[in-house]
Amino acid sequence: MQLTGRVWKYGDNVDTDVIIPARYLNVSTPEELARHCMEGIDPDFASAVQRGDIIVAGENFGCGSSREHAPLAIKESGIACVVAKSFARIFYRNAINIGLPILACAQAVEETEKGDQLTVDLRAGTITNLRTGRTYQTPPFPAFVMGIIQAGGLIPYTRERMANDQ
Amino acid sequence: MGHTLTEKIIAAHLVQGEENVASSAEVWPGDLVEVAVDIVLANDITAPIAIREFETLGVERVFDRDRVVMVADHFAPNKDIKSAEQCLAMRQFARAQGLRHHFDVGRMGIEHVLLPEQGLVAPGDIVVGADSHTCTYGALGAFATGMGSTDIAVAMATGCVWLCVPETIRVVYHGRLRPWVGGKDLILYTIGHIGVSGALYKAIEFAGPVIDDLSMAGRFTMANMAIEAGGKAGLFAVDDRTLAYVDGRVSRPYHVYQADTDATYAQLIEIDVSQIEPQVALPHLPENVCPASQAGEVQIDQVVIGSCTNGRLEDLRVAAELLRGRRVHPDVRCIVIPGSQQVYLEALREGLIEAFIEAGAVVSTPTCGPCLGGHMGVLAAGERAVSTTNRNFRGRMGHPESEVYLAGPAVAAASAVAGHIASPEEVQQCN
Ligand code: SF4
């Protein structure tokens, strides 16, 4: 599973409130959520983001509330993958459960700038910066996490698996 | 290199197959693994969402009707139409699925008091619940943790969840407990010491001679609040006290796991309890802890004694010891909520309920009620409560400008009598 996309770069502690401000939590369709994605930190994001783009951020990405709205908004906005130095625990779970690929790699974050093109190979766990030519290795996902991501989330993954078992 | 209790339990529950990185019988912190769970839990707030997700899976049946547990406790007995509909959705699902453990009004209790009491959780289990205080069952030597609705829906369908194996912090308590100091004071003191994110993502293992002597009720209280330090789980080693507790309750086979003596811990914390006085956590974070005797002149309007943290018989006994023969201060509403029907009945038989009513307290049927600002004691702007619950976040018990002070049952009962935050000694000396 290879993805190539343009980088949106942010700092540390991007919390769920800036990803999707609480005043929009009364809407729950992914399309509506996506319209306000990252509004608390970058009001231009939602209108300028393109399908396949990649978010690159610092430590503790997704901290705060346990709601699944935050990764849903990011996924629906077209973001193909989030690369951060580290992720908040519940965001990490929720992202994988809804099928949003995420990778933790501090060095790649430090050496990447807004607008760079990155190629991410989820299966191999590699991130390549096309501007600098540098490649970074992260521990690859175990097979079942890869399966969840490929299926588009935990619910479709489980549905497929249960169908195969029968 | 040896393993912690958490690693041992997770390793024993690995789903066999290529899915797992750790296909051997060993796991290490950081491993992402898929495990089989023993119990899946949801309540009247979280079950309706999990049920909806379950239905989108297209699965007919839950993985095991004996192991999916649903409890109507947060807003039950129904406080309004919306909560009635939530309980109804849960009830209909439970009936359609033939769930053996669906606890409705009249048979229910606060989930984390009820499940151990009814013998539904055993040592060595993995329990996942759509409720953050699921970590309470760590007192039984189980690995228990809270999760989101998608996770619980899938766990109900498959009996499996994926987990990242956490590191473990070991907290060792020694010394001699002072009078009126219990599990709540120990855990509040610990959270004050390490902070609300001191155990982020990690499991906490509570150990040491003080823990060996601590009642099961005290252990449940401590494990319950592991999440308030950011922890994923809070565990106790299984000992004779644990086995005596589960004996006669748990009817299925279970396995007792032990940490290796050479297990690796992320951190080792030693606490001498000899100097710890009864504690109180000031608003608005559980880490804002100080001795009750040093809280200053804090006038209060309400006292709540109950919840999944301190709604057990032992807690009510402590409160009754201070309230018996005394009167609740005229400016204070004191609300006592037994954690389950069984706790209620035993408290009645022991004469505790009489003592509460004679002192001028009210006693409610089991419910979460005021703990999350739901019903049965919601605070107005500017009001202050001393509560034996576990969270004092802004607005937790009602209006955003109300205040909650967390304490154990002794400080709560003493404060109810004094009309301000008081140490039990202060009230005793007034006699
Ligand atoms: S008593 Fe409070 S903390 Fe415990 S389950 Fe109920 S609402 Fe949650």
Side-chain angles (χ1 to χ4, degrees), chain A residues 68 87 89 93 97 144 161, chain B residues 34 56 150-151 162 201:
Chain A
E68 290 181 2
F87 292 91
R89 170 187 166 240
R93 277 199 87 78
N97 283 346
F144 81 90
R161 252 203 344 178
Chain B
E34 197 177 24
T56 66
T150 304
D151 284 304
W162 65 274
Y201 310 146

Side-chain angles (χ1 to χ4, degrees), chain B residues 73-74 110-112 131 133 307-308 368 371-372 390 396:
Chain B
D73 55 0
H74 280 63
I110 299 169
E111 54 203 283
H112 310 308
D131 188 279
H133 292 102
S307 85
C308 60
C368 294
C371 172
L372 78 165
N390 47 42
R396 171 78 177 177

Side-chain angles (χ1 to χ4, degrees), chain B residues 43-45 73-75 110-113 131-134 136 224 227-228 306-310 367-374 389-391 396:
Chain B
N43 59 50
D44 52 323
I45 288 188
D73 55 0
H74 280 63
F75 297 152
I110 299 169
E111 54 203 283
H112 310 308
V113 175
D131 188 279
S132 58
H133 292 102
T134 302
T136 310
N224 175 272
I227 178 79
E228 263 60 65
S307 85
C308 60
T309 317
N310 285 113
T367 179
C368 294
C371 172
L372 78 165
T389 52
N390 47 42
R391 284 185 176 148
R396 171 78 177 177

